[in-house]
Amino acid sequence: MNRIVVVGYGPTAHRLVETLAGKGFGGTVTVIGEEPRPAYDRVHLTSYLSGTSAEDLTYEVPAGITTRLNTRVTGIDREARQVTLADGGVEPYDVLVLATGSAPFVPPVPGAEHAYVYRTIEDLDAIRTAAKDAVEGVVVGGGLLGLEAADALRALGLKAHIVEMSPWLMPRQVDEGGGSVLKSHIEGLGLSVHAGAGVQEIVTDDAGQVTGLRKPDGTLIEAQVVVFSAGIRPRDELARSSGLEVGPRGGIVVDAGMRTSDPAIYAIGECALAGGMVYGLVGPCNTMAEVAADRIMGGASAFEGADMSTKLKLLGVEVAQFGAMDGALDVTYMDPVAGVYKKLFISDDAQTLLGGICVGDASPYTSLRPFVGKALPASPSDLLFSGAGAQLDLPDEAQVCSCNNVCAGDIRTAIADKGVTDVPGLKACTRAGTTCGSCVPMLKQLLEKSGVEVSKALCEHFTYSRAELFDIVRVRGITTFSELITQHGQGRGCDICKPAVASILASLHNGHVLEGERAALQDTNDAFLANIQKNGTYSVVPRIPGGEITPEKLIVIGEVARDFGLYTKITGGQRIDLFGARVDQLPEIWRRLVDAGFESGHAYGKALRTVKSCVGSTWCRYGVQDSVGMAIALELRYRGLRSPHKLKSAVSGCARECAEARSKDFGIIATEQGWNLYVGGNGGFKPRHADLLANDLTTDELIRTIDRFLMFYIRTADRLQRTSTWLESLDGGLDYLREVIMEDSLGICADLDAQMERHIATYADEWAATLDDPDKLSRFVSFVNAPGVPDPSIVFASERGQIKPVMAQ
Amino acid sequence: MNWTTICAYEALLPERGVCALVEGTQVAIFRTYEGELYALGNLDPFSGAYVLSRGIVGTRKGEPTVASPLHKQVFSLVTGRCLDDETVSVPSYPVRVGDDGRVEVSLEQRVEVGV
Ligand SMILES: Cc1cc2nc3c(=O)[nH]c(=O)nc-3n(C[C@H](O)[C@H](O)[C@H](O)COP(=O)(O)OP(=O)(O)OC[C@H]3O[C@@H](n4cnc5c(N)ncnc54)[C@H](O)[C@@H]3O)c2cc1C
Ligand code: HEM
Ligand code: SF4
Ligand code: FES
């Protein structure tokens, strides 16, 4: 029993070898996989298209495991106990484990050979290449993977269609009611859904290029890319050809110990037929791998079926299903306006929870899934309507993480006995939360309930979170860093806490950021009121509110750039960035700009950057409100507002949304009746569409709501937490935010309003103030002992008629 | 030792740095909250830019530090060693307040440190 050979190197094989290595298996383990790399995370495969590299997705091969990649196994010689390889070699075994997974099902329709599938990194490479020249794409299959593929096509810039045989989307996870809510969400995003439709053929032109997909009713969906995601088929071909028992509809038959009809051969993962079922989710596949590892090492654990619950966020919509999908009784909550559908299935005596379906709001999944098969913890209507679920205490045996089969009791043990105090610790110790991540909110709850102080310490100098420090500064009336750190911290601070405290002091007291001791707290950008660049020079961004500028002012910018030899570029924030200034040039540059009526654009600060605007109703034939006027008013209102992170905004004059307001921290879109306000949007590394906070607001209502939104964010966010992540981490989310700032549920609105009034009343342009202060100006030198000497290390070359930095080494 | 006079002590703000040009070498000089002076090479070895004098001054476990303003690696003001990557360090120079109350540095690098 000392030579184990594993066929296939997918996630299940990885879990097997990892478990064997962890248990100290003494023999040799050889994994043979046909893909060019070790196992990788398929669950997060789609992130490959948004920039996660293949290396990031790939798992580390455990020490002591031999791998043979790029190698397909072509046969099993059960007599000789060896497998044969495509390259002609053989590999002898004492124990063989088949972990060959599954292959996407491609229906045998004409033209199917031109379609793509969505399973491997190479598949995604092929789709990405094909999408380059395509305008529209179709995904066949409206299940979990199909929607994910459709989202990917959309992210690649295609207009995406989904064709689903069943009358509604995700038929395995949701019922008809849920399907209709899901459909309207997805259509709202600009995808088209063709439910109850099949595929007649994939149509190509004479050159063999795909031009569309014909439905059985004869209609054609135009598309240049077709992706099949119409189910999976277990890869049982090796088992078949070697005479192992397979199921009538495929899958290698195994017993509860994952053994096939040959006792020397195991099968695990998506290729196995366990208890008459093929499992297409990582959770059960991991459990199978752990059972097989245990059996191989002489244990007796058994695979007894698995929870097929799923929760995912597809196209920004939460969809979840847990437990059974029917029952004697059911209770439904449906809000078509908000796009929420929640349903619970209950036993006929109304005592036991059987399962549930959620679309648009998956909170019941998190709170109620552990209660499946158990007594209802509260009345169904309370559970669905009031969100009472979040406060429940989970029984120890309740499963918290279905991907890794971890129960509430395991988490409590980790906290109590192993002293784990945070989510990363729980992940390392129990594996919970390491796969799909949907159970992480529950891990946090368990940590909180166990009374563990989750460390929110900002850095080694303060044990408080930013929000706590903000309150300390506000309530105690603290005005300097030294006061704060002597009374509430230790040491002399660092590059983490100093700028954070500087920002808090600026949010609460305004005043000049370079005044007195505050000068020493600032990052170099704030210290020189400009943005540092890679060669130690700075860039200058004057404010151009709403992106509107007169020809005279444009000329001044041009002249300044020319006279100081600066590189100029238009920013994405509708203003102009002037690069390559030495510290000693900054005052001279700003003297010219301030004289011409410009002021600081705060491009260097964690502060309001710009409020972009589209053309708006003044000129645009579609516009319904003056977006430019509104953008200017907002930018002038919030200019100079220091915050936990930068703030960006935009105003669009109609629903066409040319200003891309929904990618902003706060975005405004004009309606016939007024303004819609969206919050928590983000571009960047993790793009997020802003959520609609309120619609059809009057101008006064709009401004009041933004005032409070910003001040509440500034009070409660973590250091460097953008509004998007802040909103996502806010307990109670958007509804809670609405209650606090629109219904004043905490009674703090008057305070927030007053704080904003104070900011507006005390705003002053910090560049103008700096120019008037010889003391502050004296710091703008390259060399303290040679004020007139320029820094000789700064060297430029020329490119496209402008300067570019040259690094010395 | 050969000392070069730089500026008045008061020209240095607590917990900020300045840069001095000493015989063509850029030296970053820092004054801590307690009033002590330290001098390091101004070149940030991670970015190749001469910027260390513009970093945030603070402490790590009691040791006075400066963080590079570009990518935030932290250096000991005492030894010049990078506390985030022990294979990297910057030169550290002797610095003092002269008899006339002016700040002086010497380009003779400290070999043994422990002042
Ligand atoms: C895009 C996508 C998203 C997903 N999202 C989720 C999700 O959110 N939640 C969830 O629970 N599950 C999800 N899944 C499913 C999950 O990825 C699978 O359950 C899991 O990959 C199964 O692992 P496996 O190792 O059994 O099979 P596979 O991953 O298919 O691995 C089998 C490996 O064996 C190789 N192989 C097969 N035959 C041979 C042979 N003869 N010789 C050599 N090598 C061979 C194959 O090339 C493959 O590398 C998703 C899947 C995809 C594709
Ligand atoms: C997370 C990575 C990012 C960082 C660290 C970053 C950093 C910066 C910095 C330093 C500037 C100022 C440039 C200068 O004047 O020197 C800037 C400006 C800008 N960035 Fe980014 N940026 C990031 C991502 C993005 C993304 C993804 C977008 C667009 C979706 C974006 C849009 C802008 C715009 C529009 C400006 C100009 C704003 C203005 O005029 O003030 N940034 N960014
Ligand atoms: S968003 Fe509307 S008003 Fe603004 S430019 Fe576009 S079409 Fe015109
Ligand atoms: S449920 Fe997927 S990681 Fe826990």
Side-chain angles (χ1 to χ4, degrees), chain A residues 460 492-493 498 523 784 791, chain B residues 15 19 26 57 59 61 72:
Chain A
E460 69 171 64
R492 278 307 301 174
K498 281 185 164 172
D523 257 322
V784 66
D791 181 345
Chain B
E15 301 193 297
C19 183
Q26 295 199 17
V57 175
T59 58
K61 301 202 175 72
K72 315 293 176 196

Side-chain angles (χ1 to χ4, degrees), chain A residues 548-560:
Chain A
E548 185 186 87
I549 184 165
T550 59
E552 287 70 26
K553 282 185 139 180
L554 268 179
I555 289 167
V556 171
I557 290 186
E559 286 172 347
V560 166

Side-chain angles (χ1 to χ4, degrees), chain A residues 309-313 318-321 362-363 365-366 436-439 441:
Chain A
S309 302
T310 25
K311 174 186 152 193
L312 56 155
K313 194 167 182 184
E318 291 190 332
V319 180
Q321 181 268 322
S363 56
Y365 171 90
T366 309
C436 73
S438 71
C439 57

Side-chain angles (χ1 to χ4, degrees), chain A residues 194-483:
Chain A
H194 311 255
V199 183
Q200 177 85 34
E201 60 168 333
I202 311 293
V203 186
T204 51
D205 63 15
D206 297 340
Q209 295 291 320
V210 171
T211 55
L213 175 149
R214 196 175 310 286
K215 298 196 278 182
D217 65 8
T219 49
L220 182 77
I221 304 173
E222 273 185 36
Q224 298 76 45
V225 178
V226 178
V227 180
F228 275 110
S229 181
I232 53 170
R233 293 290 177 269
R235 293 192 57 180
D236 53 13
E237 60 271 11
L238 284 175
R240 273 177 204 276
S241 62
S242 59
L244 297 176
E245 190 185 340
V246 294
R249 297 180 56 226
I252 309 168
V253 175
V254 292
D255 63 14
M258 306 316 296
R259 221 179 270 241
T260 67
S261 52
D262 177 338
I265 305 181
Y266 293 78
I268 55 175
E270 288 193 344
C271 63
L273 186 69
M277 283 272 286
V278 167
Y279 291 88
L281 292 174
V282 285
C285 292
N286 282 340
T287 309
M288 291 185 208
E290 282 164 15
V291 168
D294 183 58
R295 288 289 180 123
I296 291 169
M297 292 187 66
S301 58
F303 179 76
E304 287 148 348
D307 184 10
M308 293 292 276
S309 302
T310 25
K311 174 186 152 193
L312 56 155
K313 194 167 182 184
L314 279 171
L315 298 143
V317 192
E318 291 190 332
V319 180
Q321 181 268 322
F322 54 96
M325 268 179 63
D326 50 26
L329 303 174
D330 56 60
V331 183
T332 306
Y333 169 93
M334 179 152 170
D335 179 349
V337 181
V340 174
Y341 178 89
K342 298 187 266 192
K343 188 171 199 169
L344 294 182
F345 300 103
I346 296 159
S347 64
D348 51 6
D349 59 1
Q351 296 297 310
T352 310
L353 179 65
L354 300 178
I357 295 172
C358 327
V359 176
D361 168 15
S363 56
Y365 171 90
T366 309
S367 53
L368 295 180
R369 182 174 54 110
F371 288 92
V372 170
K374 303 193 169 63
L376 273 170
S379 88
S381 53
D382 278 356
L383 293 174
L384 284 185
F385 290 87
S386 65
Q391 303 313 320
L392 301 170
D393 273 325
L394 301 177
D396 267 350
E397 67 279 11
Q399 194 186 48
V400 172
C401 174
S402 60
C403 288
N404 299 290
N405 192 13
V406 183
C407 300
D410 304 330
I411 303 286
R412 291 197 179 108
T413 310
I415 297 171
D417 299 351
K418 303 194 183 139
V420 175
T421 55
D422 55 10
V423 172
L426 285 178
K427 285 183 172 176
C429 179
T430 65
R431 275 205 177 127
T434 52
T435 311
C436 73
S438 71
C439 57
V440 169
M442 219 159 5
L443 302 181
K444 282 198 190 131
Q445 261 176 37
L446 284 165
L447 276 168
E448 274 164 23
K449 289 229 173 86
S450 71
V452 169
E453 282 283 318
V454 179
S455 171
K456 295 178 197 144
L458 197 58
C459 62
E460 69 171 64
H461 306 102
F462 289 101
T463 54
Y464 302 101
S465 69
R466 180 194 171 277
E468 287 166 342
L469 282 179
F470 191 97
D471 280 338
I472 291 173
V473 173
R474 185 171 61 92
V475 175
R476 306 264 158 96
I478 288 174
T479 55
T480 67
F481 178 80
S482 287
E483 229 178 312

Side-chain angles (χ1 to χ4, degrees), chain A residues 449-773:
Chain A
K449 289 229 173 86
S450 71
V452 169
E453 282 283 318
V454 179
S455 171
K456 295 178 197 144
L458 197 58
C459 62
E460 69 171 64
H461 306 102
F462 289 101
T463 54
Y464 302 101
S465 69
R466 180 194 171 277
E468 287 166 342
L469 282 179
F470 191 97
D471 280 338
I472 291 173
V473 173
R474 185 171 61 92
V475 175
R476 306 264 158 96
I478 288 174
T479 55
T480 67
F481 178 80
S482 287
E483 229 178 312
L484 184 67
I485 197 158
T486 14
Q487 292 168 19
H488 303 278
Q490 58 196 15
R492 278 307 301 174
C494 63
D495 58 303
I496 294 176
C497 59
K498 281 185 164 172
V501 172
S503 156
I504 293 172
L505 292 171
S507 297
L508 279 170
H509 307 302
N510 236 339
H512 202 287
V513 294
L514 301 182
E515 198 54 53
E517 194 197 71
R518 283 165 73 184
L521 306 179
Q522 312 293 351
D523 257 322
T524 188
N525 281 5
D526 276 303
F528 291 103
L529 306 170
N531 293 56
I532 195 165
Q533 305 297 334
K534 60 193 282 188
N535 64 343
T537 61
Y538 291 80
S539 78
V540 169
V541 188
R543 184 170 300 291
I544 299 180
E548 185 186 87
I549 184 165
T550 59
E552 287 70 26
K553 282 185 139 180
L554 268 179
I555 289 167
V556 171
I557 290 186
E559 286 172 347
V560 166
R562 185 194 56 209
D563 295 351
F564 289 88
L566 305 175
Y567 167 84
T568 57
K569 176 161 192 330
I570 311 279
T571 74
Q574 298 187 340
R575 45 194 193 168
I576 300 170
D577 207 338
L578 313 173
F579 293 81
R582 296 186 316 268
V583 281
D584 45 282
Q585 291 178 312
L586 289 170
E588 305 164 44
I589 291 171
W590 272 104
R591 170 74 65 206
R592 298 258 305 259
L593 291 171
V594 167
D595 286 348
F598 285 104
E599 61 178 3
S600 166
H602 297 96
Y604 46 80
K606 304 294 176 222
L608 178 84
R609 294 282 166 88
T610 72
V611 183
K612 285 173 62 169
S613 65
C614 73
V615 180
S617 60
T618 313
W619 291 88
C620 176
R621 63 202 154 119
Y622 300 111
V624 292
Q625 306 277 355
D626 175 13
S627 54
V628 180
M630 176 57 81
I632 294 173
L634 293 176
E635 186 160 341
L636 295 180
R637 186 172 180 82
Y638 303 123
R639 64 188 163 181
L641 181 63
R642 292 293 202 289
S643 51
H645 209 312
K646 58 189 170 191
L647 286 167
K648 299 181 179 182
S649 177
V651 184
S652 280
C654 80
R656 286 166 193 76
E657 239 286 70
C658 297
E660 299 170 307
R662 289 194 66 194
S663 65
K664 302 298 177 193
D665 295 285
F666 57 106
I668 296 99
I669 302 179
T671 65
E672 302 273 354
Q673 287 79 32
W675 308 94
N676 283 356
L677 172 59
Y678 297 82
V679 295
N682 201 357
F685 199 59
K686 259 187 90 182
R688 182 180 192 277
H689 257 110
D691 294 317
L692 180 62
L693 182 69
N695 49 353
D696 293 331
L697 298 171
T698 64
T699 298
D700 284 350
E701 288 168 343
L702 175 73
I703 288 174
R704 193 173 61 232
T705 312
I706 302 175
D707 282 358
R708 293 173 180 177
F709 166 75
L710 293 175
M711 278 303 171
F712 188 50
Y713 161 68
I714 289 172
R715 259 191 200 193
T716 57
D718 272 339
R719 180 185 87 93
L720 300 188
Q721 188 177 38
R722 290 291 295 269
T723 58
S724 61
T725 37
W726 170 73
L727 189 56
E728 279 179 0
S729 69
L730 204 59
D731 266 340
L734 201 62
D735 289 335
Y736 173 70
L737 178 63
R738 237 177 243 129
E739 284 163 22
V740 174
I741 66 174
M742 302 186 71
E743 293 154 29
D744 202 7
S745 61
L746 299 181
I748 58 170
C749 284
D751 225 28
L752 298 177
D753 292 345
Q755 213 178 314
M756 186 60 88
E757 283 309 322
R758 203 159 48 239
H759 165 75
I760 294 161
T762 55
Y763 167 82
D765 172 27
E766 52 204 24
W767 257 115
T770 305
L771 294 174
D772 286 344
D773 183 339

